[in-house]
Amino acid sequence: MKEDCEVFPIIVPVEYGLKTINFFLVRKEKRLLLIDAGIDDELCWGALNKTLNENGFSIRDITEIILTHHHFDHIGLVNRIVQEHPIPVYASPLSIKRLKRDSVFMKNRLAFYERFYQEMGCGELGKKQIQYLNKALEKNKHQALQCEISPITASTFQHFSVLEIPGHAPDHLAFWDKERNWLFSGDLLLEHISSNALIEPDENGNRLQTLIQQRDSLLKCLKLQPEIVFSGHGQVISEPNRLIQLRLERIEDKAERFYQLILTGFSTASEIAETYYKKTYLAQFSLVMSEVVSHLDYLELQGKIKKKQVKGIWHYSAMATHTAH
Ligand SMILES: [Zn+2]
């Protein structure tokens, strides 16, 4: 017999491209789990309390918080909930330094981006972004989680299988309810937009190949053939397999477009970004650079392009094409 289980989605509309901030109360037998915790604002706090009240619960009934990844729009209410009602908080072992905003880790991360933008030929724009990140370091200090965070391992939960799905974030996890074939997958898959494979360093400061990770994570989820995907933004996804296929196809299409630009002679990631995205390159600099460089990694992996450093800047070029027989 299936164990008793109910999901109460908390869906908070926002005016920007993400459409909504989603997090989920999941009642499993006598436990009431909170998967993710929205943004730290009154809208999310109000929505959480409303959903609790409507279903006969209060904050005090939540038994634990589980985080899919460390981004601020998924962890916002953790401090507030735990202050009122101290309960365990679980996250990937890779999330902990990020959630605590560990000062050494954050400084190294900043140094990583400084070098990254330099090497990708971003010049002044890169320097501006570093200034912005430097300020954000100070400004967002309050976002650090104050509570103890328990690292999730494969055996932490009886109710869910834990899947590592890096790509959008290095610490990204999904929680799979095998019995119902439901997947709580944070920002891996969104109904209305494709999730950005944000450039990030690993624990040792090496650049992760985030799109290649994202693609592997999508393939991992496709294998499960989930029936419903509860995602971090937008609608709950009722035909996830079709959507995963679309996202995989989009990766191929995008990579091909950048490949064509390289064939026409654009060689640095910043040139490709500026040419392809025009004004968006300025407006959404870090997202655009992630998009371009992560796809270039994928083209490199496929053996279609190679890169060489000239005066400290990476230049990409096409590999000699095989002649057709
Ligand atoms: Zn998100």
Side-chain angles (χ1 to χ4, degrees):
M1 206 182 87
K2 276 187 190 178
E3 65 171 1
D4 198 17
C5 173
E6 271 178 291
V7 179
F8 308 102
I10 301 154
I11 296 182
V12 183
V14 289
E15 275 167 18
Y16 42 92
L18 292 174
K19 282 193 179 172
T20 65
I21 306 287
N22 306 341
F23 46 123
F24 304 93
L25 279 163
V26 182
R27 189 182 61 77
K28 286 248 189 195
E29 304 283 317
K30 292 204 166 118
R31 309 201 70 81
L32 186 64
L33 287 68
L34 183 67
I35 299 182
D36 284 346
I39 287 183
D40 182 16
D41 70 4
E42 290 309 313
L43 276 180
C44 284
W45 180 249
L48 169 64
N49 280 288
K50 186 166 175 269
T51 306
L52 283 164
N53 295 340
E54 281 173 356
N55 294 286
F57 301 116
S58 78
I59 290 282
R60 304 220 137 247
D61 293 311
I62 302 174
T63 52
E64 59 236 89
I65 302 174
I66 315 174
L67 301 173
T68 59
H69 63 296
H70 71 281
H71 289 168
F72 79 103
D73 53 336
H74 295 257
I75 65 157
L77 297 176
V78 172
N79 283 337
R80 198 162 169 181
I81 296 168
V82 174
Q83 243 170 34
E84 219 171 274
H85 175 47
I87 44 171
V89 176
Y90 295 96
S92 157
L94 295 177
S95 301
I96 295 174
K97 281 185 181 166
R98 296 169 192 271
L99 291 170
K100 290 281 178 191
R101 300 183 76 83
D102 176 275
S103 61
V104 174
F105 176 81
M106 296 303 272
K107 253 188 207 150
N108 289 341
R109 187 167 173 271
L110 197 74
F112 162 84
Y113 285 116
E114 192 165 12
R115 207 183 82 193
F116 169 66
Y117 293 134
Q118 248 166 36
E119 289 181 352
M120 291 302 163
C122 302
E124 282 307 308
L125 265 183
K127 285 181 193 157
K128 259 195 196 158
Q129 178 68 9
I130 295 304
Q131 281 170 7
Y132 166 80
L133 287 176
N134 226 327
K135 276 186 201 150
L137 214 57
E138 200 50 42
K139 200 179 122 217
N140 297 335
K141 262 190 176 157
H142 68 280
Q143 289 177 359
L145 295 196
Q146 306 301 331
C147 56
E148 195 186 317
I149 303 156
S150 307
I152 297 179
T153 62
S155 58
T156 303
F157 302 109
Q158 274 180 310
H159 317 294
F160 291 115
S161 303
V162 178
L163 305 173
E164 289 177 3
I165 51 157
H168 174 65
D171 58 333
H172 211 314
L173 299 176
F175 308 112
W176 184 40
D177 178 330
K178 197 175 172 181
E179 273 184 70
R180 291 164 193 81
N181 207 0
W182 291 350
L183 191 67
F184 296 85
S185 63
D187 290 354
L188 172 72
L189 189 67
L190 306 177
E191 171 80 34
H192 61 293
I193 42 171
S194 68
S195 179
N196 197 302
L198 300 165
I199 294 293
E200 282 275 350
D202 68 8
E203 300 289 283
N204 304 314
N206 299 314
R207 188 162 70 74
L208 290 162
Q209 300 202 307
T210 52
L211 184 77
I212 295 162
Q213 290 185 319
Q214 175 82 345
R215 189 173 170 275
D216 289 344
S217 296
L218 286 168
L219 288 168
K220 198 187 249 187
C221 289
L222 189 61
K223 258 200 195 145
L224 302 178
Q225 297 275 307
E227 260 173 49
I228 301 180
V229 167
F230 294 94
S231 59
H233 306 280
Q235 283 176 31
V236 169
I237 299 165
S238 53
E239 277 187 82
N241 302 312
R242 189 188 58 88
L243 191 61
I244 293 172
Q245 292 290 4
L246 278 175
R247 294 294 177 255
L248 289 168
E249 283 164 26
R250 183 187 173 276
I251 292 173
E252 301 300 323
D253 289 350
K254 220 4 139 33
E256 179 59 27
R257 283 169 198 223
F258 296 149
Y259 180 60
Q260 290 302 326
L261 286 177
I262 289 172
L263 285 179
T264 43
F266 295 97
S267 76
T268 66
S270 59
E271 277 171 6
I272 294 166
E274 200 174 359
T275 309
Y276 188 86
Y277 289 98
K278 305 195 169 66
K279 280 183 185 161
T280 313
Y281 174 55
L282 293 175
Q284 298 191 34
F285 174 72
S286 66
L287 288 177
V288 161
M289 285 309 294
S290 284
E291 187 77 354
V292 172
V293 174
S294 67
H295 281 80
L296 296 181
D297 287 344
Y298 182 52
L299 287 167
E300 250 189 296
L301 178 82
Q302 291 177 309
K304 290 176 107 174
I305 62 171
K306 57 184 183 333
K307 67 176 184 296
K308 193 172 111 188
Q309 230 178 39
V310 184
K311 292 183 189 154
I313 293 172
W314 289 113
H315 288 260
Y316 291 84
S317 60
M319 298 287 272
T321 43
H322 303 283
T323 40
H325 294 286

